Amino acid sequence: MARILIVEDEPDIVMCLEEDLRRQGHDTRVARDGSEGLALGREGGWDLVLLDVMLPKMDGFDVCSELRKAGVMTPIIMLTARVQEAEKELGLDSGADDYVTKPFSLRELRARIRAQLRRADRHEPRVVRFGPCEVDFDRAALRRSGQPVDITPQELRLLGVFLRNRGRVLSRDQLIASAWGHGVAITDRAVDTHVFNLRKKIEPEPSAPKFLLGVRGLGYRFEDEN
Ligand code: CA
């Protein structure tokens, strides 16, 4: 199951994509113009973006290159009715991972989506170490100084978001979007509670954290041991 952002303005295509992807067990959200697509894409938390080229407000190529400039590394598949090779190259130059020409068959698109999700999976390090901790994402296990520590699936997802964004300040909204999912009703307070609990598991001294730091007025930042 993946979280897929569909950026597409044609209602028929949106309907057909949403229905098919949901039937495959994926979670979808739709942006109907380029600027909404860019905003949602930037929030992060997606496993894949399906991005139409001809869009109101901002075209798909620009959305794609803006997302890459913003450091968003989510796989992007461009959907386009335009078949010229020059444009295909432009699509790849703008940082897209693949390119599907309309009209496409759902079967073909599904195969391309699977390929991108598999690729993205391989890029993600499955065992990550910091300080005395070792996180094994495949086994959903945390060890500290060699000793197993209980960690909930939600804490593990949250820790994964921090580890993928070391050194970056993450707002509570970004954390909610990435670790819980878009449209999930989670309060800022609940985020703080999870961070508090996570600190007890990873910090040698939870009241004086050295990995999971609070940034006043902004959110949190994960730092490797200084
Ligand atoms: Ca379009």
Side-chain angles (χ1 to χ4, degrees):
M1 196 212 86
R3 276 185 284 202
I4 300 181
L5 174 62
I6 303 168
V7 190
E8 169 66 79
D9 60 320
E10 284 152 72
D12 290 353
I13 297 181
V14 169
M15 213 168 74
C16 145
L17 285 176
E18 269 203 302
E19 197 184 296
D20 190 64
L21 293 172
R22 285 186 175 163
R23 202 179 299 142
Q24 312 282 311
H26 299 309
D27 207 356
T28 59
R29 176 133 177 217
V30 179
R32 298 191 188 265
D33 64 58
S35 48
E36 192 190 352
L38 178 59
L40 286 175
R42 265 194 186 136
E43 281 180 18
W46 306 106
D47 297 303
L48 183 87
V49 180
L50 292 177
L51 179 57
D52 185 31
V53 172
M54 300 290 282
L55 289 165
K57 295 192 186 168
M58 184 176 197
D59 79 35
F61 293 130
D62 287 342
V63 173
C64 186
S65 59
E66 286 300 315
L67 285 175
R68 293 305 187 226
K69 268 188 239 161
V72 175
M73 297 315 292
T74 312
I76 296 177
I77 299 179
M78 304 278 278
L79 307 174
T80 184
R82 299 191 287 184
V83 294
Q84 288 89 344
E85 280 308 302
E87 280 167 354
K88 186 163 175 168
E89 275 165 29
L90 183 57
L92 296 172
D93 284 345
S94 66
D97 297 276
D98 201 359
Y99 197 95
V100 176
T101 307
K102 289 177 183 171
F104 49 81
S105 74
L106 283 173
R107 211 172 130 186
E108 182 195 2
L109 185 65
R110 273 183 224 138
R112 306 281 194 103
I113 290 173
R114 272 197 304 276
Q116 288 304 322
L117 293 174
R118 268 200 307 272
R119 246 187 72 192
D121 244 15
R122 282 203 304 270
H123 287 180
E124 188 153 341
R126 304 303 293 177
V127 176
V128 181
R129 293 179 182 83
F130 60 92
C133 299
E134 186 183 285
V135 195
D136 184 334
F137 287 96
D138 284 331
R139 294 186 173 75
L142 168 68
R143 296 174 85 83
R144 199 166 102 196
S145 307
Q147 297 302 310
V149 177
D150 277 337
I151 187 163
T152 68
Q154 187 54 56
E155 287 164 353
L156 193 70
R157 273 196 291 277
L158 184 62
L159 182 56
V161 173
F162 280 118
L163 290 169
R164 284 196 297 276
N165 294 280
R166 291 177 200 221
R168 279 176 61 190
V169 177
L170 299 170
S171 69
R172 290 175 179 79
D173 283 346
Q174 283 172 315
L175 291 170
I176 292 169
S178 305
W180 278 266
H182 293 270
V184 176
I186 293 288
T187 60
D188 286 1
R189 187 104 173 246
V191 176
D192 295 339
T193 304
H194 277 80
V195 168
F196 178 81
N197 291 335
L198 201 46
R199 277 178 177 153
K200 287 196 287 193
K201 300 179 179 185
I202 63 168
E203 298 281 357
E205 228 184 299
S207 56
K210 58 178 185 173
F211 300 114
L212 227 174
L213 311 177
V215 183
R216 195 182 294 267
L218 292 174
Y220 294 99
R221 188 178 80 231
F222 187 94
E223 284 292 346
D224 272 318
E225 212 165 0
N226 304 308

